[in-house]
Amino acid sequence: VVTSACFLCLLMLAGHQLRRTSRVLRALHLPASVLGGFVGWVFFACVDLVAPPGTSLMEDWFSVGWDVLPGFCTNVVFCCLFLGTSVPRLADVLSSPRREHLIY
């Protein structure tokens, strides 16, 4: 899992470096994460071509922990979503004309 996280950080750094050095990529407003994903796609394709058949180098070293990342990142985003906002009192919620929150 640590290796895959380090690999993702390197891909992000590669995307940032590509975006920083290329005026065309900056003009297209492509984010560094998209460019890093493209670099990773090319890297995975090259390693699959070079690796001997039957080996699982990519799954064992680079993408072993990626199956848990969507849930983890979703939790991080939604946990931080309401930081700094106050929770309304129950009387304010019940007196509000908006009733869609009472469905649950």
Side-chain angles (χ1 to χ4, degrees), residues 20-100:
R20 201 177 91 183
T21 57
S22 173
R23 186 174 285 187
V24 174
L25 294 176
R26 276 194 312 256
L28 289 173
H29 298 290
L30 288 173
S33 58
V34 171
L35 296 174
F38 183 72
V39 170
W41 177 65
V42 170
F43 178 77
F44 277 119
C46 291
V47 169
D48 281 340
L49 289 175
V50 174
T55 60
S56 61
L57 177 68
M58 297 309 292
E59 290 83 15
D60 290 343
W61 283 96
F62 298 114
S63 63
V64 71
W66 290 4
D67 55 346
V68 296
L69 280 178
F72 175 73
C73 292
T74 303
N75 284 338
V76 168
V77 167
F78 283 108
C79 286
C80 298
L81 191 62
F82 296 110
L83 285 178
T85 60
S86 60
V87 177
R89 296 180 302 149
L90 183 61
D92 294 338
V93 171
L94 292 177
S95 67
S96 171
R98 299 179 63 189
R99 301 288 183 203
E100 66 268 5

